[in-house]
Structure formats: structure tokens, C-alpha cells
Amino acid sequence: MAAKEKDGRRIVAENRQARHEFFLNETLEAGLQLLGTEVKSLRKGQANIAESYASIEDGGVWLINSYIPEYKGAGPFYQHEPRRKRKLLMHAKEIHKLAIAIERRGMTMIPLELYFNDRGRAKLKIALAEGKKLHDKRETAKKRDWDREKQRIMRDKG
């Protein structure tokens, strides 16, 4: 699967389920510390961040449980581990702000998109999020259905 183009960015992987499962409060962009074979796999459009999350450990932010498959063009000696922890590159002020939000308000960091920016650098869009309860999910679905119905009515009448 090739990466999709969206306003100058080549999107490699999206976490569509995140908008359904969480209230997204604030989004940030972070760089990724990757190995060469990981970059090659990403350029082929192979990655999955649906089950991953970010965590603050040892003064840095880490992406945990993301899947970037091995690059078949490289030999067995140069391969990487597909589900290894990957360091996110952020400023110290941003890390401190995230740590406070997680500690005080009980939020979590969820990856939304993995993409290449216009300069060819791999970036990850992460969001500070709060989990939705079942009734919140139902309310969101009702609102989405009503908006869709409202659009149909306006289209037919107007």
C-alpha cells in the first residue's frame, strides 16, 4: 500500500479509531528516531499505529507497540525489530507540558498520524486524549447521524 498525499504530507499510517475512542484535546507534532530499514519500510507505506500509544519514560517520550515491518530488501543482519520502542523527538518544554497534563488530569498520549513532511522527515502527530465512556460514544454517534440527516433535509429542500 502506497502512502497517501495530503496537503504536502505523505501519510503512511492513520489511527482512525482514536477519534471514536477518545476525546482529543490538543495535538502536537514529534519527530521519530528511526533506523534505516524502518525508514525504507515507511517509504513503502507499511506501518500500523492503531494499537500504539506514547509514554514518558527516562525524561523522554517513547512510542510503544507501533508496528513497522522488516524491510525485505535488506539482508538479515541489518533488520530491525518490528514492535520495538521508538523515541519521539520533542523539545524539553513540550515534554514537561505533556508530563503535567498526564499526571494532573489523567490524560493519555495517542498517535493520530505517521507521515513524511515536505522535507522528507518522518513525523508523528500525537494528541492528548481522555477516554470516552460508552454513553459518550452513543452521544457522538447520535450527533453524527443527526448532522447527516440535517444535510439530507437541507439538500432536498434547498
Coordinates of all heavy atoms in Angstrom, one line a residue, residues 50-130:
A50 N -2.3 1.7 15.0 CA -3.7 1.7 15.6 C -3.7 1.2 17.1 O -4.5 1.7 17.9 CB -4.5 0.7 14.8
E51 N -2.8 0.3 17.5 CA -2.8 -0.2 18.8 C -1.7 0.5 19.7 O -1.4 0.0 20.8 CB -2.6 -1.7 18.8 CG -3.7 -2.4 18.1 CD -3.2 -3.6 17.4 OE1 -2.0 -4.0 17.5 OE2 -4.0 -4.2 16.6
S52 N -1.0 1.5 19.2 CA 0.1 2.1 19.9 C -0.3 3.3 20.8 O -1.4 3.8 20.6 CB 1.2 2.5 18.9 OG 0.7 3.5 18.0
Y53 N 0.6 3.6 21.6 CA 0.4 4.8 22.5 C 1.8 5.4 22.8 O 2.8 4.7 22.5 CB -0.3 4.4 23.8 CG 0.4 3.4 24.6 CD1 1.2 3.8 25.7 CD2 0.4 2.0 24.4 CE1 1.9 2.9 26.5 CE2 1.0 1.1 25.1 CZ 1.8 1.5 26.2 OH 2.5 0.6 27.0
A54 N 1.8 6.6 23.4 CA 3.1 7.2 23.7 C 3.2 7.3 25.3 O 2.2 7.4 25.9 CB 3.2 8.6 23.1
S55 N 4.4 7.2 25.8 CA 4.6 7.2 27.2 C 5.9 8.0 27.5 O 6.8 8.1 26.7 CB 4.8 5.8 27.7 OG 5.2 5.7 29.0
I56 N 5.9 8.7 28.7 CA 7.0 9.4 29.1 C 7.8 8.5 30.1 O 7.4 8.2 31.1 CB 6.6 10.7 29.8 CG1 5.9 11.6 28.8 CG2 7.8 11.5 30.4 CD1 5.4 12.9 29.4
E57 N 9.1 8.2 29.7 CA 10.0 7.4 30.5 C 11.4 7.9 30.4 O 11.8 8.3 29.3 CB 10.0 5.9 30.0 CG 8.6 5.3 30.0 CD 8.6 3.9 29.3 OE1 9.7 3.5 28.9 OE2 7.5 3.4 29.2
D58 N 12.1 8.0 31.4 CA 13.5 8.4 31.5 C 13.7 9.8 30.9 O 14.7 10.0 30.2 CB 14.4 7.4 30.8 CG 14.3 6.0 31.3 OD1 14.0 5.9 32.5 OD2 14.4 5.0 30.6
G59 N 12.8 10.7 31.1 CA 13.0 12.0 30.6 C 12.7 12.2 29.1 O 12.9 13.3 28.6
G60 N 12.2 11.2 28.4 CA 11.9 11.3 27.0 C 10.6 10.7 26.7 O 10.0 10.0 27.6
V61 N 10.1 10.9 25.5 CA 8.8 10.4 25.1 C 9.0 9.2 24.2 O 9.8 9.3 23.2 CB 7.9 11.5 24.4 CG1 6.6 10.9 24.1 CG2 7.8 12.7 25.3
W62 N 8.3 8.1 24.4 CA 8.6 6.9 23.6 C 7.3 6.4 23.0 O 6.2 6.5 23.6 CB 9.1 5.8 24.5 CG 10.4 6.1 25.1 CD1 10.7 6.8 26.2 CD2 11.7 5.7 24.6 NE1 12.0 6.9 26.4 CE2 12.7 6.2 25.4 CE3 12.1 5.0 23.4 CZ2 14.0 6.0 25.2 CZ3 13.4 4.8 23.2 CH2 14.4 5.3 24.1
L63 N 7.3 6.0 21.7 CA 6.2 5.4 21.0 C 6.3 3.9 21.3 O 7.2 3.2 20.9 CB 6.3 5.7 19.6 CG 5.1 5.1 18.7 CD1 3.8 5.8 19.1 CD2 5.4 5.4 17.2
I64 N 5.2 3.3 21.9 CA 5.2 1.9 22.3 C 4.2 1.2 21.5 O 3.1 1.6 21.2 CB 4.9 1.8 23.8 CG1 6.0 2.5 24.5 CG2 4.8 0.4 24.2 CD1 5.8 2.7 26.0
N65 N 4.5 0.0 21.0 CA 3.6 -1.0 20.3 C 3.3 -0.6 18.9 O 2.2 -1.0 18.4 CB 2.4 -1.3 21.2 CG 1.8 -2.6 20.8 OD1 2.4 -3.5 20.3 ND2 0.5 -2.7 21.0
S66 N 4.0 0.3 18.3 CA 3.8 0.6 16.9 C 4.4 -0.5 16.0 O 5.4 -1.1 16.5 CB 4.3 1.9 16.5 OG 5.7 1.9 16.7
Y67 N 3.9 -0.8 14.9 CA 4.4 -1.9 14.0 C 4.9 -1.3 12.7 O 4.2 -0.7 11.9 CB 3.2 -2.9 13.8 CG 3.7 -4.0 12.9 CD1 4.5 -5.0 13.4 CD2 3.3 -4.1 11.5 CE1 4.9 -6.1 12.5 CE2 3.7 -5.1 10.7 CZ 4.5 -6.1 11.2 OH 4.9 -7.1 10.4
I68 N 6.2 -1.5 12.5 CA 6.8 -1.2 11.2 C 7.5 -2.5 10.8 O 8.5 -2.9 11.4 CB 7.9 -0.1 11.4 CG1 7.2 1.2 11.9 CG2 8.6 0.2 10.0 CD1 8.1 2.4 12.1
P69 N 7.0 -3.1 9.7 CA 7.6 -4.4 9.3 C 9.0 -4.4 8.9 O 9.5 -3.3 8.5 CB 6.6 -4.9 8.2 CG 6.1 -3.6 7.7 CD 6.0 -2.7 8.8
E70 N 9.6 -5.5 8.8 CA 11.0 -5.6 8.4 C 11.1 -5.2 6.9 O 10.1 -5.5 6.1 CB 11.6 -7.0 8.6 CG 11.8 -7.3 10.0 CD 12.3 -8.7 10.2 OE1 12.3 -9.5 9.2 OE2 12.8 -9.0 11.3
Y71 N 12.2 -4.6 6.5 CA 12.4 -4.3 5.1 C 13.0 -5.5 4.4 O 14.1 -5.9 4.7 CB 13.3 -3.0 5.0 CG 13.5 -2.6 3.5 CD1 12.5 -2.1 2.8 CD2 14.8 -2.6 3.0 CE1 12.7 -1.7 1.5 CE2 15.0 -2.2 1.7 CZ 13.9 -1.8 0.9 OH 14.2 -1.3 -0.3
K72 N 12.3 -6.0 3.4 CA 12.7 -7.2 2.7 C 13.9 -7.0 1.8 O 14.7 -8.0 1.6 CB 11.6 -7.8 1.9 CG 10.3 -8.1 2.6 CD 10.6 -9.2 3.7 CE 9.3 -9.5 4.4 NZ 9.6 -10.2 5.7
G73 N 14.2 -5.8 1.4 CA 15.4 -5.6 0.5 C 16.7 -5.6 1.3 O 17.7 -5.8 0.6
A74 N 16.7 -5.5 2.6 CA 18.0 -5.6 3.3 C 18.2 -7.0 3.8 O 17.3 -7.9 3.8 CB 17.9 -4.7 4.6
G75 N 19.5 -7.3 4.0 CA 19.8 -8.6 4.5 C 19.4 -8.9 5.9 O 19.0 -8.0 6.6
P76 N 19.5 -10.1 6.4 CA 19.0 -10.5 7.7 C 19.8 -9.8 8.8 O 19.3 -9.6 9.9 CB 19.2 -12.0 7.8 CG 20.1 -12.3 6.7 CD 20.0 -11.3 5.7
F77 N 21.0 -9.4 8.6 CA 21.9 -8.8 9.6 C 21.4 -7.3 9.9 O 21.5 -6.9 11.0 CB 23.3 -8.8 9.1 CG 24.3 -8.1 10.1 CD1 24.6 -8.7 11.3 CD2 24.8 -6.8 9.9 CE1 25.5 -8.1 12.2 CE2 25.6 -6.2 10.8 CZ 26.0 -6.9 11.9
Y78 N 20.9 -6.7 8.9 CA 20.5 -5.2 9.1 C 19.1 -5.0 9.5 O 18.6 -3.9 9.5 CB 20.8 -4.5 7.8 CG 22.3 -4.5 7.4 CD1 22.7 -5.3 6.3 CD2 23.2 -3.7 8.1 CE1 24.1 -5.3 6.0 CE2 24.5 -3.7 7.8 CZ 24.9 -4.5 6.7 OH 26.3 -4.5 6.4
Q79 N 18.3 -6.0 9.8 CA 16.9 -5.9 10.1 C 16.7 -5.3 11.5 O 17.5 -5.3 12.4 CB 16.2 -7.2 10.0 CG 16.1 -7.7 8.6 CD 15.3 -6.8 7.7 OE1 14.5 -6.0 8.1 NE2 15.6 -6.9 6.4
H80 N 15.5 -4.7 11.7 CA 15.1 -4.1 13.0 C 14.0 -5.0 13.6 O 13.4 -5.8 12.9 CB 14.6 -2.7 12.8 CG 13.4 -2.6 11.9 ND1 13.5 -2.5 10.5 CD2 12.1 -2.5 12.2 CE1 12.3 -2.4 10.1 NE2 11.4 -2.4 11.1
E81 N 13.7 -4.7 14.8 CA 12.6 -5.4 15.5 C 11.3 -4.7 15.2 O 11.2 -3.5 15.4 CB 12.9 -5.5 17.0 CG 11.9 -6.3 17.8 CD 12.2 -6.3 19.3 OE1 13.4 -6.2 19.6 OE2 11.2 -6.4 20.0
P82 N 10.3 -5.3 14.6 CA 9.1 -4.6 14.2 C 8.3 -3.9 15.3 O 7.8 -2.8 15.0 CB 8.2 -5.7 13.6 CG 9.2 -6.8 13.2 CD 10.3 -6.7 14.2
R83 N 8.3 -4.4 16.5 CA 7.5 -3.7 17.5 C 8.4 -3.1 18.7 O 8.0 -3.0 19.8 CB 6.5 -4.7 18.2 CG 5.4 -5.1 17.3 CD 4.2 -5.4 18.0 NE 3.1 -5.8 17.2 CZ 2.1 -5.0 16.8 NH1 2.1 -3.8 17.1 NH2 1.2 -5.4 16.0
R84 N 9.5 -2.6 18.3 CA 10.4 -2.0 19.3 C 9.9 -0.6 19.8 O 9.1 0.0 19.1 CB 11.8 -1.9 18.8 CG 12.1 -0.8 17.8 CD 13.5 -0.8 17.4 NE 13.8 0.3 16.5 CZ 14.2 1.5 16.9 NH1 14.3 1.8 18.2 NH2 14.3 2.5 16.1
K85 N 10.4 -0.2 20.9 CA 10.1 1.2 21.4 C 10.9 2.2 20.5 O 12.0 2.0 20.3 CB 10.5 1.4 22.9 CG 9.6 0.7 23.8 CD 10.0 0.8 25.3 CE 10.8 1.9 25.7 NZ 11.1 2.0 27.2
R86 N 10.2 3.2 20.1 CA 10.9 4.3 19.3 C 10.8 5.6 20.0 O 9.7 6.0 20.5 CB 10.2 4.3 17.9 CG 10.4 3.1 17.1 CD 9.5 3.0 15.9 NE 9.9 1.8 15.2 CZ 9.2 0.6 15.4 NH1 8.3 0.5 16.3 NH2 9.6 -0.4 14.7
K87 N 11.9 6.3 20.1 CA 12.0 7.6 20.8 C 11.3 8.7 19.9 O 11.6 8.7 18.7 CB 13.4 7.9 21.1 CG 13.5 9.1 22.0 CD 14.9 9.3 22.6 CE 14.8 10.5 23.5 NZ 15.9 10.6 24.3
L88 N 10.5 9.5 20.5 CA 10.0 10.7 19.9 C 10.8 11.9 20.2 O 11.2 12.1 21.3 CB 8.5 10.9 20.3 CG 7.5 9.8 20.1 CD1 6.1 10.2 20.6 CD2 7.5 9.5 18.6
L89 N 11.1 12.7 19.2 CA 12.0 13.8 19.3 C 11.1 15.1 19.6 O 10.4 15.5 18.7 CB 12.8 14.0 18.1 CG 13.6 12.7 17.7 CD1 14.3 12.9 16.4 CD2 14.6 12.3 18.8
M90 N 11.2 15.6 20.8 CA 10.4 16.8 21.2 C 11.3 17.7 22.0 O 12.3 17.3 22.6 CB 9.2 16.4 21.9 CG 8.3 15.4 21.2 SD 6.9 14.9 22.2 CE 5.8 16.3 22.1
H91 N 10.9 19.0 22.1 CA 11.6 19.9 23.0 C 11.3 19.6 24.4 O 10.2 19.1 24.8 CB 11.1 21.3 22.6 CG 11.6 21.8 21.3 ND1 12.8 22.2 21.0 CD2 10.9 22.0 20.1 CE1 12.9 22.6 19.8 NE2 11.7 22.4 19.2
A92 N 12.2 20.0 25.3 CA 12.0 19.7 26.7 C 10.8 20.4 27.3 O 10.1 19.8 28.2 CB 13.3 20.1 27.5
K93 N 10.5 21.6 26.8 CA 9.3 22.3 27.3 C 8.0 21.5 26.9 O 7.1 21.4 27.7 CB 9.2 23.7 26.7 CG 10.1 24.7 27.3 CD 9.9 26.0 26.7 CE 10.9 27.0 27.3 NZ 10.8 28.4 26.8
E94 N 8.0 21.0 25.7 CA 6.8 20.2 25.3 C 6.7 18.9 26.2 O 5.5 18.6 26.5 CB 6.9 19.8 23.8 CG 6.8 21.0 22.9 CD 7.0 20.6 21.4 OE1 7.8 19.6 21.2 OE2 6.4 21.2 20.6
I95 N 7.8 18.3 26.4 CA 7.7 17.0 27.2 C 7.2 17.4 28.6 O 6.4 16.6 29.2 CB 9.1 16.4 27.3 CG1 9.5 15.9 25.9 CG2 9.2 15.2 28.3 CD1 11.0 15.4 25.8
H96 N 7.7 18.5 29.2 CA 7.3 18.9 30.5 C 5.8 19.2 30.6 O 5.1 18.8 31.5 CB 8.1 20.1 31.0 CG 7.8 20.6 32.4 ND1 8.0 19.8 33.5 CD2 7.1 21.7 32.8 CE1 7.6 20.5 34.6 NE2 7.1 21.6 34.2
K97 N 5.3 19.9 29.5 CA 3.9 20.2 29.5 C 3.0 18.9 29.4 O 2.0 18.8 30.0 CB 3.6 21.1 28.2 CG 2.2 21.6 28.1 CD 2.2 22.7 27.1 CE 1.6 22.0 25.8 NZ 1.3 23.0 24.7
L98 N 3.5 17.9 28.6 CA 2.8 16.7 28.4 C 2.8 15.9 29.8 O 1.8 15.3 30.2 CB 3.4 15.8 27.4 CG 3.2 16.3 25.9 CD1 4.1 15.4 25.0 CD2 1.8 16.2 25.5
A99 N 3.9 15.9 30.4 CA 4.0 15.2 31.7 C 3.0 15.7 32.7 O 2.4 15.0 33.5 CB 5.4 15.3 32.3
I100 N 2.9 17.1 32.8 CA 2.0 17.7 33.7 C 0.5 17.3 33.4 O -0.3 17.0 34.3 CB 2.2 19.2 33.7 CG1 3.5 19.6 34.4 CG2 1.0 19.9 34.4 CD1 3.9 21.0 34.3
A101 N 0.2 17.4 32.1 CA -1.2 17.0 31.7 C -1.5 15.6 32.0 O -2.6 15.3 32.5 CB -1.4 17.3 30.2
I102 N -0.6 14.7 31.8 CA -0.8 13.3 32.1 C -1.0 13.0 33.6 O -1.8 12.3 34.1 CB 0.3 12.4 31.5 CG1 0.2 12.4 30.0 CG2 0.2 11.0 32.0 CD1 1.4 11.9 29.3
E103 N -0.1 13.7 34.4 CA -0.1 13.5 35.8 C -1.3 14.1 36.5 O -1.9 13.4 37.3 CB 1.2 14.1 36.4 CG 1.6 13.6 37.7 CD 2.9 14.2 38.1 OE1 3.9 14.0 37.4 OE2 3.0 14.9 39.2
R104 N -1.6 15.3 36.2 CA -2.7 16.0 36.9 C -4.1 15.6 36.4 O -5.0 15.5 37.2 CB -2.5 17.5 36.7 CG -1.4 18.0 37.5 CD -1.4 19.5 37.6 NE -0.2 20.0 38.3 CZ 0.4 21.1 38.1 NH1 -0.1 21.9 37.2 NH2 1.5 21.5 38.7
R105 N -4.3 15.6 35.1 CA -5.6 15.4 34.5 C -5.9 13.9 34.1 O -6.9 13.7 33.6 CB -5.8 16.3 33.4 CG -5.8 17.8 33.8 CD -6.2 18.7 32.7 NE -5.1 19.0 31.8 CZ -5.2 19.5 30.7 NH1 -6.4 19.9 30.2 NH2 -4.2 19.8 29.9
G106 N -4.9 13.0 34.2 CA -5.1 11.6 33.9 C -5.3 11.4 32.4 O -6.1 10.5 32.0
M107 N -4.7 12.2 31.6 CA -4.8 12.0 30.1 C -3.8 11.0 29.6 O -2.9 10.6 30.3 CB -4.6 13.4 29.4 CG -5.6 14.4 29.9 SD -5.2 16.0 29.2 CE -6.6 16.0 28.0
T108 N -3.9 10.7 28.3 CA -3.0 9.7 27.7 C -2.6 10.3 26.3 O -3.3 11.2 25.8 CB -3.7 8.3 27.5 OG1 -2.7 7.5 27.0 CG2 -4.9 8.4 26.6
M109 N -1.5 9.9 25.8 CA -1.0 10.3 24.5 C -1.3 9.3 23.5 O -0.8 8.2 23.6 CB 0.5 10.6 24.6 CG 0.8 11.8 25.4 SD 2.6 12.2 25.4 CE 3.2 10.9 26.4
I110 N -2.0 9.7 22.4 CA -2.4 8.7 21.4 C -1.9 9.2 20.1 O -2.0 10.4 19.7 CB -4.0 8.7 21.3 CG1 -4.6 8.3 22.6 CG2 -4.4 7.8 20.2 CD1 -4.3 6.9 23.0
P111 N -1.2 8.4 19.3 CA -0.7 8.8 17.9 C -1.9 8.8 17.0 O -2.7 7.9 17.0 CB 0.3 7.7 17.6 CG -0.1 6.5 18.4 CD -0.7 7.0 19.6
L112 N -1.9 9.9 16.2 CA -3.0 10.0 15.2 C -2.6 9.7 13.8 O -3.3 9.0 13.0 CB -3.6 11.4 15.2 CG -4.2 11.9 16.5 CD1 -4.6 13.3 16.4 CD2 -5.3 11.0 16.9
E113 N -1.4 10.3 13.4 CA -0.9 10.1 12.0 C 0.6 9.9 12.0 O 1.3 10.5 12.8 CB -1.2 11.3 11.1 CG -2.6 11.5 10.8 CD -2.8 12.7 9.9 OE1 -1.9 13.5 9.8 OE2 -3.9 12.9 9.3
L114 N 1.1 9.1 11.1 CA 2.5 8.9 10.9 C 2.7 9.3 9.4 O 2.0 8.8 8.5 CB 2.9 7.4 11.1 CG 4.4 7.1 10.9 CD1 5.3 7.9 11.8 CD2 4.6 5.6 11.1
Y115 N 3.6 10.3 9.2 CA 3.7 10.8 7.8 C 5.1 11.4 7.6 O 5.9 11.5 8.5 CB 2.6 11.9 7.6 CG 2.8 13.1 8.5 CD1 3.5 14.2 8.2 CD2 2.1 13.1 9.8 CE1 3.6 15.3 9.1 CE2 2.2 14.2 10.6 CZ 2.9 15.3 10.3 OH 3.0 16.3 11.1
F116 N 5.4 11.6 6.3 CA 6.6 12.3 5.9 C 6.2 13.8 5.6 O 5.3 14.0 4.8 CB 7.2 11.7 4.7 CG 7.9 10.4 5.0 CD1 7.3 9.2 4.7 CD2 9.2 10.4 5.6 CE1 7.9 8.0 5.0 CE2 9.8 9.2 5.9 CZ 9.2 8.0 5.6
N117 N 6.9 14.7 6.2 CA 6.6 16.1 5.9 C 7.2 16.5 4.5 O 7.8 15.7 3.8 CB 7.1 17.1 7.0 CG 8.6 17.1 7.2 OD1 9.3 16.5 6.4 ND2 9.0 17.9 8.1
D118 N 7.1 17.8 4.1 CA 7.5 18.2 2.8 C 9.0 18.2 2.7 O 9.6 18.2 1.6 CB 7.0 19.6 2.5 CG 7.4 20.6 3.6 OD1 7.9 20.2 4.7 OD2 7.1 21.9 3.4
R119 N 9.8 18.1 3.8 CA 11.2 18.0 3.8 C 11.7 16.5 3.8 O 12.9 16.3 3.8 CB 11.9 18.8 4.9 CG 11.6 20.3 4.8 CD 12.2 21.0 6.0 NE 13.6 20.7 6.1 CZ 14.3 21.0 7.2 NH1 13.7 21.5 8.3 NH2 15.6 20.7 7.3
G120 N 10.8 15.6 3.8 CA 11.1 14.2 3.8 C 11.4 13.6 5.2 O 12.0 12.5 5.2
R121 N 11.1 14.3 6.2 CA 11.3 13.8 7.6 C 10.1 13.0 8.1 O 8.9 13.4 7.9 CB 11.6 14.9 8.5 CG 12.7 15.8 8.1 CD 14.0 15.5 8.8 NE 15.0 16.5 8.6 CZ 16.2 16.2 8.1 NH1 16.5 15.0 7.7 NH2 17.0 17.2 7.9
A122 N 10.3 11.9 8.8 CA 9.2 11.2 9.4 C 8.7 11.9 10.6 O 9.5 12.2 11.5 CB 9.6 9.7 9.7
K123 N 7.4 12.1 10.7 CA 6.8 12.8 11.8 C 5.6 12.0 12.3 O 5.0 11.3 11.6 CB 6.3 14.2 11.4 CG 7.4 15.2 10.9 CD 8.3 15.6 12.0 CE 9.3 16.6 11.5 NZ 10.1 17.2 12.6
L124 N 5.3 12.3 13.6 CA 4.2 11.6 14.2 C 3.3 12.7 14.8 O 3.8 13.5 15.6 CB 4.6 10.6 15.3 CG 3.6 9.8 16.0 CD1 3.0 8.8 15.0 CD2 4.1 9.2 17.2
K125 N 2.0 12.7 14.5 CA 1.1 13.6 15.1 C 0.4 12.9 16.3 O -0.2 11.9 16.1 CB 0.0 14.0 14.1 CG -0.9 15.1 14.5 CD -1.9 15.4 13.4 CE -2.7 16.5 13.6 NZ -3.6 16.8 12.5
I126 N 0.7 13.4 17.5 CA 0.1 12.8 18.7 C -0.9 13.8 19.4 O -0.8 15.0 19.2 CB 1.2 12.4 19.7 CG1 2.0 13.6 20.2 CG2 2.1 11.3 19.2 CD1 2.9 13.3 21.3
A127 N -1.8 13.2 20.1 CA -2.9 14.0 20.8 C -2.9 13.7 22.2 O -2.8 12.5 22.6 CB -4.2 13.8 20.1
L128 N -3.2 14.7 23.0 CA -3.5 14.4 24.4 C -5.0 14.1 24.4 O -5.8 14.8 23.9 CB -3.3 15.7 25.3 CG -1.9 15.9 25.8 CD1 -1.7 17.3 26.4 CD2 -1.5 14.8 26.7
A129 N -5.3 13.0 25.0 CA -6.7 12.5 24.9 C -7.2 12.0 26.3 O -6.5 11.6 27.1 CB -6.8 11.4 23.9
E130 N -8.6 12.1 26.4 CA -9.3 11.5 27.5 C -10.2 10.4 27.0 O -10.8 10.6 25.9 CB -10.1 12.5 28.2 CG -9.3 13.6 28.9 CD -10.2 14.7 29.5 OE1 -10.7 14.4 30.6 OE2 -10.5 15.7 28.9

